[in-house]
Amino acid sequence: MRRNILIANVLLGLTVSCCFGQEYKTLREARAEAAKHLQARNYAAAQAPLEAALKLTPEDDLKQRVELYRTLMQSYRILNEVDKMVEAVEYIQANSDGQAERSIIATDFVSFLHQRGKTDFAVTRYEAKLKENAKDPTALAVLSTIYQRVLREKKERGQMLAGELKTLNRERAIAKAERLEKAADADARTAASNWKDVAKTWLEADDKQKALKAVEKSLKVPPEARNDLLVMYWRDGLGDVYAEVGDAAKAIEQYEQAVAKAPSEPLKKPLRDKIEKLKKSPK
């Protein structure tokens, strides 16, 4: 009987080892395996194939690696230790070119650490990182949030760090906008949408004049026509820029054209909400 139990334990160990040590020949294979587990919300099982996909993704493919780390956060959230989550968040903060994404993840990370009783750990870690690099994006994002929302006795320092983070974000947005500008006209089919992206990025950089110039270029090149959904996103994005710079009439015009191309009612509603909000706002 004891021998049978011993054999069963050995076989179980081999099975578990095989599962966790499974190798994937291609990135597509690893991602397909991860997708099955993610669809079932089995985030623990998704961790191994996602990490395999990460290893198979070239170091210079920052966009895909950021996406994988973002997905891995679901798996890392249920681990006992926080080191994997720290790794994911720090990679995203350093390499994501989406300011909104970085902000959302930093806020979520602070909440995660607080729930785990790791706020002091975070303060020690990121104050040390700031001494090494005054522009460390994770340190600025995490500490400014902690000091303003958790350790409020240090609110003044939090506000100072938030100001430094805003400056860094603007520098990163300028670099991104300039990079996008260089490639915007590479393909006539995508140029209109590309210039829309340039315009929205210049808004992130607090440069409304350059944002409007990018909108003008977006409207001068051949219009987005690949499919109705992309046309909707294009018009919606242009409307957002006009709304941000205070030109309600042109914003409404773009939103209405977006509504006309929206392929479903759920997509039309938020556009109509934007139109109504602009119509009700003071002139």
Side-chain angles (χ1 to χ4, degrees):
M1 180 68 176
R2 292 177 64 184
R3 181 172 180 274
N4 289 340
I5 293 175
L6 178 61
I7 292 173
N9 286 339
V10 170
L11 289 174
L12 178 60
L14 288 172
T15 301
V16 171
S17 176
C18 178
C19 285
F20 282 96
Q22 182 176 350
E23 293 185 3
Y24 300 91
K25 295 179 180 179
T26 66
L27 175 59
R28 177 177 293 184
E29 183 183 340
R31 293 193 67 127
E33 180 66 19
K36 291 191 298 184
H37 297 303
L38 291 170
Q39 189 172 10
R41 297 188 178 182
N42 188 349
Y43 301 126
Q47 180 181 338
L50 283 171
E51 289 180 339
L54 193 62
K55 289 180 180 179
L56 290 165
T57 302
E59 291 286 341
D60 60 354
D61 191 347
L62 300 181
K63 184 176 181 179
Q64 187 163 191
R65 290 178 68 83
V66 164
E67 178 198 337
L68 286 166
Y69 267 119
R70 186 172 60 243
T71 307
L72 272 164
M73 287 176 66
Q74 299 175 94
S75 301
Y76 294 161
R77 192 176 299 277
I78 59 179
L79 298 178
N80 291 328
E81 301 299 326
V82 301
D83 56 323
K84 288 282 190 178
M85 182 68 90
V86 169
E87 174 189 332
V89 169
E90 290 183 355
Y91 186 90
I92 293 170
Q93 293 298 317
N95 295 289
S96 170
D97 65 3
Q99 184 175 321
E101 175 182 52
R102 296 195 304 268
S103 177
I104 291 169
I105 285 178
T107 302
D108 176 74
F109 184 48
V110 168
S111 177
F112 167 81
L113 291 172
H114 183 60
Q115 291 168 5
R116 294 295 188 93
K118 294 287 187 178
T119 297
D120 289 344
F121 155 82
V123 169
T124 300
R125 178 180 180 84
Y126 293 114
E127 285 289 4
K129 283 188 172 293
L130 271 188
K131 289 180 181 179
E132 296 173 4
N133 175 15
K135 291 187 175 183
D136 185 291
T138 312
L140 289 173
V142 170
L143 290 175
S144 62
T145 304
I146 287 177
Y147 291 151
Q148 293 183 93
R149 301 189 183 188
V150 183
L151 304 178
R152 295 186 180 179
E153 66 274 16
K154 295 186 177 181
K155 185 177 181 180
E156 187 175 337
R157 175 160 172 75
Q159 291 172 337
M160 181 193 74
L161 294 176
E164 293 178 7
L165 177 62
K166 183 177 180 179
T167 299
L168 176 61
N169 282 338
R170 185 172 184 275
E171 291 173 1
R172 295 177 76 172
I174 290 171
K176 177 184 175 183
E178 291 174 344
R179 184 175 71 250
L180 291 176
E181 281 185 338
K182 291 177 181 178
D185 290 319
D187 185 339
R189 295 172 303 171
T190 63
S193 287
N194 291 344
W195 280 111
K196 175 263 297 178
D197 293 338
V198 171
K200 299 196 78 172
T201 305
W202 277 122
L203 280 184
E204 287 185 9
D206 294 327
D207 195 323
K208 294 182 179 180
Q209 185 176 2
K210 288 186 177 180
L212 282 173
K213 286 182 179 179
V215 167
E216 290 172 6
K217 290 183 178 181
S218 180
L219 292 170
K220 285 180 180 179
V221 297
E224 175 61 70
R226 286 172 291 174
N227 59 59
D228 285 351
L229 186 61
L230 290 176
V231 174
M232 182 203 76
Y233 284 131
W234 173 50
R235 295 293 185 181
D236 182 28
L238 295 181
D240 288 344
V241 177
Y242 279 129
E244 185 68 24
V245 301
D247 194 331
K250 288 185 178 179
I252 290 171
E253 179 185 347
Q254 292 299 323
Y255 288 144
E256 287 176 340
Q257 292 187 62
V259 170
K261 287 295 184 177
S264 68
E265 190 57 37
L267 291 172
K268 293 177 187 290
K269 186 180 184 305
L271 294 166
R272 286 173 175 152
D273 289 344
K274 290 181 181 181
I275 293 170
E276 287 304 309
K277 183 178 179 180
L278 286 173
K279 285 182 177 179
K280 292 177 180 178
S281 62
K283 299 294 183 181

